[in-house]
Amino acid sequence: MSTSRTATATSRILALLLLAAWMAPAGSQEAQIRLGTPISEEQLSALDLIAAPDGSGMPPGAGTARQGREVYELNCLRCHNVNGEGESGNTVIAGGDMQSEESPLRTVGSYWPHASTLFDFIRRAMPADIPKSLTDEEVYQVTAYVLFLNGIVGEDQSINSETLTAIVMPNGNGFVDQSHLH
Amino acid sequence: MKELQWEKAAGNGLLNRRHLLQLGLTGLGAAGAGAVFGQDAGSILQVPEWSRMPGASASAYGEPSRFAGNFQRMAGTPDPIYPGGGASRSPLQFLQGTITPNALHFERHHAGIPDIDPAEHMLVINGLVRQPLVFSYENLLKYQMVSRINFLECSGNSGALLRGGSADGTAQSLHGLLSCAEWTGIPLSVLLDEAGVLPEARWVAAVGADAASMGRSVPIDKALDDVLVALYQNGEPIQPGQGYPVRLFCPGWEGNISVKWLTQLKLMREPAQFRDETSKYTDTMPDRSSLQFTFPMGVKSLITSPSGQMSLPRPGIYQVTGVAWSGRGAIRRVEVSADGGATWADAMMQSEPMDKALARFTIPWEWSGGPAVLQSRATDSAGNVQPIRDEVLAARGTISFYHNNCIQSWGVDDAGAISNVYV
């Protein structure tokens, strides 16, 4: 412990000296530090988990809801209950109707604008107690199952990067982009 | 009677702010303190006990005085099905000035606080760049840094006021997802420039190294403007709960987009449409359309003392104080009302207001012992004026609860008890 701390301290001092050296030549305002190490997208393939609506970042693989049922029972049921009925607002992942008279229940099926978000989120963040423990194949399967619970795909429909990103979600047109207002 | 000479500034006892300089004001500060001296005014004052013996030695990392009161964040109870998830709120009613101590800065985590060894932490820039790059923490520390004082507010802050129901609470429980610190780091534009942003890149998807790999998409113009890759908070390395070793910091914008434990920045044509920018942090309107990517936090203010669940011990003159902020500029003006918004008086700013930072205001108020409703209303440098709650409800309905910047009303009853009220 203490040796590594000393080592860090030493390398920080070295860093300062290095910085001083960079800044040294008087009048050269172009002495911009560039310390990023070049890397290839291939080297980042295991780290970059962003799966976007245009299909970028979606890994190979496919699955159906029928296969996903077992994945769900083993990995999701304990928090999201039978049929995705959930425990509380945060864990209800099926049902709801944006046009309901009372305040709408907003879930994957009723609210989410993009199907890609489901794959992206499950792969990065679920199951909440052991995130990133599923294979890509299992993520496709359980994604299909959650879509099936919401009546969005059939039980035997194959879900892969192409079929997933082609899905038009029920509330797909329900959002208004405010990003220009700043 | 001396009180008669105080100049009134607005109804129900608000006094001209210049009297602040002359008055010995009763502030309702930290709990506990205030047991007046044990002597009669006429007796001879004695040298206290602690001046007669040596005190404790210097320490490695300081702690507040045991007499300072209950300076604690308010954290929710852990939920076994949401491991590490939840929030803690800053004790706004006990703080003064504008800077939140690091250990009291509010927190919101989606999967707990990761225990990151900076020697193994990486920050990657990839996607639509000329050359993908990876930065070590050691190397990030070598860059030229800048420091900025900025508030951070969770977009869910004050949401309870829109959800209906009674929302009884304190400044902390109702509005404590708000803090302000000096953030020091590398302008994101410097690192993006090093990777070489391609012209078609319009968004930067930022991802954290927590168990949720929480992600948010930032528009490129903001990313190239004032966003920091922050490494220090109020002078010390960012605390783990705030994103150690490195976080994104997007001044003025909803807190969630300042991704903590920053590990990846991916340049993209379109937003990544992460779960926390679609399912959450979006606002559904009465017509059932939903607003997405609502970034700047609206102009807002809040009286922190006297405030919810405090009580005024006796009629007399009190110091009303609070904080104001805007995601669209600096605070230009804060007005205070003691009669529920019927009349207003200008408060005094305690220090020079800064862009996208907390500003503290103060004004003297003479409580008659009758009912009162204390409110504050902020105006920012862009001319935006803080709305009343009914305006927010009329425009946005009751489905959404994020991005609420409405005026807070603290009701004072005949006995001096203070609570959140809707007027």
Side-chain angles (χ1 to χ4, degrees):
Chain A
M1 276 304 267
S2 72
T3 10
S4 84
R5 229 177 251 168
T6 318
T8 316
T10 314
S11 59
R12 256 184 223 171
I13 291 164
L14 285 176
L16 287 176
L17 291 175
L18 195 68
L19 184 64
W22 273 101
M23 316 280 268
S28 80
Q29 69 273 63
E30 294 305 315
Q32 203 195 321
I33 300 174
R34 292 177 168 271
L35 298 173
T37 307
I39 190 161
S40 69
E41 291 285 352
E42 201 201 339
Q43 287 172 286
L44 294 174
S45 58
L47 191 82
D48 179 352
L49 296 178
I50 299 172
D54 64 4
S56 67
M58 291 272 176
T64 65
R66 196 177 295 282
Q67 296 165 320
R69 179 187 300 272
E70 197 187 322
V71 180
Y72 185 87
E73 281 165 3
L74 276 173
N75 300 283
C76 320
L77 185 76
R78 61 183 177 275
C79 297
H80 289 285
N81 289 354
V82 183
N83 297 331
E85 285 160 11
E87 297 270 352
S88 66
N90 262 357
T91 53
V92 183
I93 54 173
D97 173 8
M98 288 306 287
Q99 303 309 324
S100 65
E101 221 165 282
E102 356 47 278
S103 201
L105 174 65
R106 293 176 291 174
T107 72
V108 173
S110 66
Y111 194 53
W112 289 29
H114 303 277
S116 62
T117 307
L118 191 56
F119 182 94
D120 176 86
F121 182 69
I122 296 170
R123 182 164 66 153
R124 67 178 58 242
M126 290 294 135
D129 47 357
I130 354 168
K132 306 178 183 74
S133 56
L134 304 184
T135 64
D136 288 344
E137 203 77 13
E138 288 169 322
V139 177
Y140 276 116
Q141 293 166 354
V142 80
T143 296
Y145 184 67
V146 175
L147 291 171
F148 169 71
L149 290 178
N150 281 288
I152 293 167
V153 303
E155 203 166 6
D156 292 307
Q157 197 169 324
S158 172
I159 292 301
N160 57 34
S161 77
E162 266 169 39
T163 55
L164 182 64
T165 51
I167 291 172
V168 177
M169 296 293 274
N171 195 38
N173 289 323
F175 285 79
V176 186
D177 183 346
Q178 305 287 297
S179 63
H180 57 287
L181 297 178
H182 64 262
Chain B
M1 288 299 284
K2 215 177 172 199
E3 295 93 87
L4 295 177
Q5 75 192 54
W6 306 126
E7 187 188 316
K8 300 283 192 278
N12 208 4
L14 282 170
L15 304 181
N16 192 301
R17 55 188 166 164
R18 72 186 159 80
H19 291 317
L20 278 170
L21 307 171
Q22 305 147 14
L23 292 166
L25 293 170
T26 315
L28 288 177
V36 198
F37 303 96
Q39 296 105 331
D40 299 329
S43 68
I44 293 170
L45 303 185
Q46 300 298 324
V47 169
E49 199 189 328
W50 45 81
S51 304
R52 297 178 185 277
M53 59 184 175
S57 304
S59 65
Y61 199 92
E63 278 180 21
S65 160
R66 65 195 171 102
F67 301 112
N70 189 26
F71 281 77
Q72 299 280 314
R73 283 189 293 226
M74 198 179 102
T77 33
D79 179 351
I81 73 157
Y82 193 10
S88 69
R89 291 152 197 267
S90 293
L92 300 179
Q93 66 273 37
F94 299 140
L95 300 176
Q96 250 293 354
T98 57
I99 297 292
T100 313
N102 289 341
L104 298 177
H105 196 290
F106 87 86
E107 306 166 277
R108 170 75 174 100
H109 316 304
H110 287 264
I113 305 169
D115 185 24
I116 297 177
D117 176 355
E120 287 172 34
H121 185 74
M122 295 167 284
L123 173 58
V124 163
I125 300 181
N126 72 326
L128 299 173
V129 290
R130 271 200 305 281
Q131 175 59 62
L133 296 173
V134 55
F135 297 86
S136 66
Y137 178 63
E138 207 64 44
N139 276 346
L140 289 175
L141 290 174
K142 296 171 190 168
Y143 280 76
Q144 178 77 50
M145 297 190 201
V146 298
S147 298
R148 296 206 191 101
I149 294 175
N150 288 126
F151 77 84
L152 190 73
E153 183 183 21
C154 176
S155 50
N157 197 31
S158 319
L161 270 62
L162 298 185
R163 290 199 211 227
S166 76
D168 181 27
T170 63
Q172 177 172 25
S173 68
L174 296 172
H175 307 286
L177 298 173
L178 165 76
S179 298
C180 184
E182 183 203 56
W183 300 95
T184 297
I186 308 158
L188 175 57
S189 58
V190 169
L191 300 183
L192 291 183
D193 182 58
E194 190 173 327
V197 175
L198 298 178
E200 60 269 34
R202 304 310 309 154
W203 291 78
V204 185
V207 176
D210 59 331
S213 298
M214 222 286 301
R216 286 296 305 259
S217 307
V218 184
I220 191 74
D221 50 352
K222 177 74 170 177
L224 294 175
D225 179 18
D226 61 355
V227 176
L228 289 186
V229 171
L231 297 143
Y232 294 90
Q233 176 186 356
N234 291 332
E236 66 178 353
I238 287 174
Q239 292 205 345
Q242 290 306 319
Y244 182 82
V246 47
R247 81 175 301 167
L248 201 65
F249 196 92
C250 302
W253 283 19
E254 61 176 350
N256 181 258
I257 202 165
S258 285
V259 173
K260 300 188 282 192
W261 315 292
L262 184 68
T263 189
Q264 184 187 8
L265 295 161
K266 185 173 189 177
L267 281 292
M268 301 176 61
R269 260 187 205 87
E270 301 284 342
Q273 304 286 355
F274 291 118
R275 179 258 188 178
D276 287 293
E277 57 198 19
T278 51
S279 171
K280 305 291 164 184
Y281 304 102
T282 46
D283 294 297
T284 301
M285 298 293 102
D287 71 358
R288 307 302 163 92
S289 69
S290 302
L291 307 183
Q292 191 184 20
F293 305 122
T294 303
F295 295 132
M297 294 306 287
V299 62
K300 189 166 171 182
S301 69
L302 168 74
I303 293 172
T304 54
S305 182
S307 62
Q309 297 181 1
M310 290 182 177
S311 85
L312 305 177
R314 67 193 74 84
I317 296 176
Y318 289 86
Q319 180 180 19
V320 173
T321 184
V323 285
W325 65 100
S326 170
R328 292 192 168 89
I331 290 300
R332 200 178 67 196
R333 180 184 196 191
V334 179
E335 299 153 285
V336 173
S337 173
D339 52 16
T343 59
W344 297 89
D346 277 306
M348 192 172 84
M349 303 314 296
Q350 196 165 295
S351 53
E352 193 57 43
M354 288 179 290
D355 201 39
K356 301 174 183 122
L358 288 193
R360 182 164 290 275
F361 62 89
T362 171
I363 188 167
W365 172 56
E366 183 174 20
W367 179 48
S368 65
V373 174
L374 293 170
Q375 298 179 325
S376 61
R377 175 170 70 189
T379 303
D380 70 16
S381 51
N384 300 297
V385 181
Q386 185 180 7
I388 61 170
R389 180 168 171 271
D390 281 348
E391 273 177 87
V392 174
L393 288 174
R396 307 229 324 245
T398 53
I399 304 169
S400 84
F401 61 90
Y402 295 111
H403 307 103
N404 175 23
N405 65 331
C406 78
I407 289 174
Q408 165 68 47
S409 305
W410 298 121
V412 183
D413 70 12
D414 294 345
I418 300 166
S419 59
N420 171 41
V421 294
Y422 300 139
V423 293

